Amino acid sequence: MKISYNKLFKLLIDKNLKRKDLCKSAQISDATMAKLGKGANINTEILVRICETLNCDICDIMEIEKDEN
């Protein structure tokens, strides 16, 4: 199983925001944004800041995908 943040990137498109806009408003680094793009593990504190910034729930920005094996 792996984590996917595709919902986050779709939400940014829907809200007409760029990744840099989110970095600035949620006070997250470019390195963290790169981790999100790769589906890497992110500190829950950062995920909460993103949710607060976008006024959404955690399930609106991430999901767990099952491996195809």
Side-chain angles (χ1 to χ4, degrees):
M1 298 172 86
K2 67 178 189 170
I3 296 172
S4 170
Y5 298 102
N6 288 338
K7 285 184 166 186
L8 169 62
F9 300 119
K10 288 177 185 174
L11 186 60
L12 290 177
I13 291 168
D14 291 344
K15 292 184 177 263
N16 200 28
L17 294 170
K18 296 182 182 178
R19 292 180 185 201
K20 288 189 176 197
D21 297 332
L22 179 62
C23 287
K24 186 176 180 180
S25 57
Q27 298 177 346
I28 58 175
S29 68
D30 290 336
T32 299
M33 185 55 72
K35 285 183 180 181
L36 287 165
K38 294 177 184 176
N41 292 330
I42 303 295
N43 185 313
T44 52
E45 180 183 322
I46 294 170
L47 294 173
V48 169
R49 273 193 275 159
I50 291 170
C51 288
E52 288 173 345
T53 300
L54 297 175
N55 194 29
C56 67
D57 194 60
I58 194 80
C59 64
D60 296 327
I61 64 168
M62 64 181 287
E63 63 186 340
I64 297 174
E65 295 180 342
K66 295 183 180 181
D67 292 330
E68 295 183 17
N69 295 333

